[in-house]
């Protein structure tokens, strides 16, 4: 008898009844180059008047791209207001295209982030943070929030936060590159990563066209942030995540009009993880303990300066959260 994998519905830090996502394991990784357009689902952050986002990872088709395990994209004139909430076992990557977001965390960091800058929060054993638009909201807010799963050896690390205002990159053939995480084009991001990974924004001028060198052992995906891009012959617009599989040494990107995309990739994440609410663990007991600690005011510290109460954790599902082994042996 095999273990039944819980159905994947995904989770949000503000969903009232999040279900578990079991992610990772090499059995899920495409063995070579593929083209899969993964459509996300609409989620509202921060309650019924909250901010609409499109969540393309985890997806019922693909759960991870390397250690990237969560992709939320937003664009609109709705203010962000996510009250204090905890995280474990992951890094959050905040990247904006338009507008500003204010981050506060339980390590007493208070950081405004603007387009072109990276906020990287390493939850490790536990951290809490709040994110909101500075009042009053002027103009549009557009960007992404991504999560990177921490490997077992590092997931209990001390929590940390880093703001990288100037990321390395370059411009060639009408394409400006900024490397958020890992390495691309011989340029390495200063942001600390715990697994072999790449995250880069490409800003394409009208007529921009490039062939990017990729790490063939990585799996890759592209999310278009604005405009329309042609990626390996496929026309892609904002919305879906284009999953590209493994085994690629290069990738052609071009645009007829100004456009922007995010390239995500990494070594396939061999460990199986359990994602529930804002926690990543390896099993039910761990996630249940994190939930209990948050509700009891333990472990995560306090976020000061946010005008409003912290988010209570939802109830755990009645089923036991189980990670699957990396091999399909049963
Ligand atoms: Mn968060």
């Amino acid at each position: 008898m095999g273990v039944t994998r819980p159905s994947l519905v995904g989770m949000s830090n503000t969903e009232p009844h999040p279900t578990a996502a079991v992610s990772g394991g090499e059995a899920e990784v495409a063995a070579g180059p593929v083209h899969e357009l993964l459509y996300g689902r609409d989620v509202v952050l921060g309650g019924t008047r909250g901010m609409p986002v499109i969540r393309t990872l985890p997806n019922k088709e693909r759960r991870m791209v390397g250690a990237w395990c969560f992709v939320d994209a937003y664009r609109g004139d709705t203010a962000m207001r996510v009250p204090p909430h905890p995280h474990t076992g992951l890094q959050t990557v905040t990247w904006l295209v338009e507008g500003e977001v204010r981050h506060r965390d339980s390590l007493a960091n208070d950081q405004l982030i603007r387009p072109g800058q990276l906020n990287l929060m390493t939850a490790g054993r536990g951290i809490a943070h709040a994110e909101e638009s500075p009042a009053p909201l002027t103009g549009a807010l557009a960007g992404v929030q991504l999560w990177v799963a921490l490997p077992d050896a590092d997931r209990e690390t001390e929590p940390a936060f880093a703001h990288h205002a100037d990321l390395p990159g370059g411009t060639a053939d009408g394409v400006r590159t900024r490397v958020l995480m890992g390495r691309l084009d011989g340029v390495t991001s200063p942001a600390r990563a715990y697994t072999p990974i790449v995250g880069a924004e490409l800003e394409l001028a009208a007529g921009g066209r490039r062939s990017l060198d990729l790490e063939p052992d990585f799996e890759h995906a592209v999310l278009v942030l604005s405009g329309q891009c042609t990626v390996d012959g496929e026309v892609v617009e904002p919305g879906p995540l284009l999953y590209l599989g493994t085994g690629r040494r290069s990738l052609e990107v071009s645009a007829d009009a100004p456009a922007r995309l995010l390239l995500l990739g990494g070594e396939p994440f061999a460990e199986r993880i359990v994602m529930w609410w804002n926690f990543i663990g390896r099993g039910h007991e761990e996630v249940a303990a994190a939930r209990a600690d948050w509700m009891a005011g333990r472990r995560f510290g306090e976020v000061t300066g946010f005008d409003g109460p912290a988010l209570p954790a939802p109830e755990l599902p009645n089923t036991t959260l189980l990670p699957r082994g990396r091999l399909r042996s049963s």
Side-chain angles (χ1 to χ4, degrees):
M1 295 277 288
V3 172
T4 302
R5 177 184 296 176
S7 65
L8 179 94
V9 188
M11 76 303 300
S12 154
N13 45 22
T14 55
E15 275 183 332
H17 303 293
T19 53
V22 179
S23 305
E26 290 175 341
E28 292 191 342
V29 178
V34 296
H35 273 206
E36 294 174 6
L37 272 179
L38 307 180
Y39 287 88
R41 62 194 192 91
D42 298 325
V43 176
V44 175
L45 293 186
T48 50
R49 289 172 299 160
M51 189 178 77
V53 307
I54 300 175
R55 181 163 302 156
T56 46
L57 279 186
N59 193 289
K60 64 181 188 298
E61 312 294 335
R62 296 281 172 191
R63 292 169 178 81
M64 297 180 80
V65 177
W68 300 100
C69 58
F70 183 94
V71 174
D72 267 3
Y74 42 89
R75 172 174 292 280
D77 56 5
T78 309
M80 180 185 289
R81 185 176 156 78
V82 182
H85 60 279
H87 286 288
T88 61
L90 57 89
Q91 294 176 293
T92 64
V93 170
T94 304
W95 182 256
L96 296 180
V97 175
E98 284 182 76
E100 298 178 334
V101 168
R102 186 169 183 178
H103 160 100
R104 293 184 182 93
D105 65 40
S106 50
L107 301 176
N109 294 293
D110 182 347
Q111 180 67 55
L112 192 67
I113 182 174
R114 298 192 170 90
Q117 304 177 338
L118 170 67
N119 270 7
L120 177 65
M121 186 178 78
T122 302
R125 60 181 298 277
I127 197 170
H129 72 150
E131 290 176 296
E132 60 181 329
S133 301
L137 180 68
T138 52
L141 178 63
V144 291
Q145 175 148 129
L146 315 168
W147 295 359
V148 181
L150 291 173
D152 194 50
D154 296 302
R155 64 198 186 87
E156 297 283 340
T157 192
E158 287 299 308
F161 174 80
H163 175 76
H164 296 283
D166 292 300
L167 292 169
T171 302
D173 304 325
V175 181
R176 175 174 181 177
T177 305
R178 288 188 185 89
V179 184
L180 284 64
M181 300 281 284
R183 185 175 172 86
L184 185 72
D185 273 351
V187 171
T188 303
S189 166
R192 180 158 186 194
Y194 291 83
T195 54
I197 198 173
V198 65
E201 188 198 63
L202 275 62
E203 191 178 345
L204 292 90
R209 173 181 294 272
R210 277 219 46 199
S211 175
L212 300 165
D213 288 340
L214 299 187
E215 169 56 57
D217 293 337
F218 283 11
E219 53 183 340
H220 289 93
V222 164
L223 184 73
V224 175
L225 300 176
S226 66
Q228 186 184 74
C229 300
T230 301
V231 180
D232 194 31
E234 182 114 22
V235 176
V236 193
E237 295 184 336
L241 183 70
L242 177 63
Y243 177 73
L244 294 162
T246 57
R248 291 175 183 271
R249 293 187 178 278
S250 65
L251 183 68
E252 290 274 348
V253 298
S254 64
D256 295 334
R260 200 181 287 259
L261 65 80
L262 204 56
L263 172 70
L264 302 175
E267 187 176 281
F269 197 80
E271 298 169 31
R272 299 293 288 185
I273 61 174
V274 174
M275 297 172 63
W276 180 80
W277 197 42
N278 295 299
F279 304 129
I280 292 183
R282 297 298 184 274
H284 184 96
E285 293 306 318
E286 224 178 90
V287 168
R291 180 194 183 280
D293 283 351
W294 173 246
M295 295 305 284
R298 296 187 297 258
R299 187 195 312 200
F300 297 97
E302 197 173 337
V303 180
T304 55
F306 183 85
D307 183 19
L311 280 180
E315 293 298 324
L316 279 167
N318 289 325
T319 52
T320 301
L321 309 171
L322 290 174
R324 262 184 75 134
R326 68 186 261 189
L327 299 176
R328 292 181 191 278
S329 56
S330 55

